[in-house]
Amino acid sequence: MSYRFVTTSVVLWVDTLARTIKNKNGKHEGYVVVTQDVTERQIAAESMRRAKHAAEAANRAAHNI
């Protein structure tokens, strides 16, 4: 699951994966949580989306002349 944290000066994207830990009898013992900073990946993906939209708009404009 991805989350976005926004403060007055920073936007941070993280992916989090959580799993329960059970003992051999199936009783809940705790959790394992892994969180990874994916801010650079999100920024790159947004940049690619903007470039794609710009290229599509330029292509439409070229064909409408």
Side-chain angles (χ1 to χ4, degrees):
M1 183 165 287
S2 291
Y3 297 95
R4 182 177 69 146
F5 297 96
V6 180
T7 67
T8 56
S9 60
V10 175
V11 174
L12 177 69
W13 286 89
V14 296
D15 278 351
T16 301
L17 177 66
R19 296 287 187 256
T20 60
I21 299 172
K22 296 181 180 180
N23 65 19
K24 62 183 177 182
N25 297 323
K27 182 182 176 196
H28 174 77
E29 294 286 325
Y31 296 97
V32 172
V33 179
V34 178
T35 301
Q36 180 180 10
D37 181 349
V38 294
T39 304
E40 288 184 29
R41 182 172 71 194
Q42 289 289 352
I43 291 170
E46 179 61 26
S47 179
M48 292 294 288
R49 279 191 290 276
R50 288 181 182 170
K52 178 183 176 192
H53 290 303
E56 289 170 345
N59 191 33
R60 282 191 303 274
H63 285 89
N64 290 331
I65 292 177

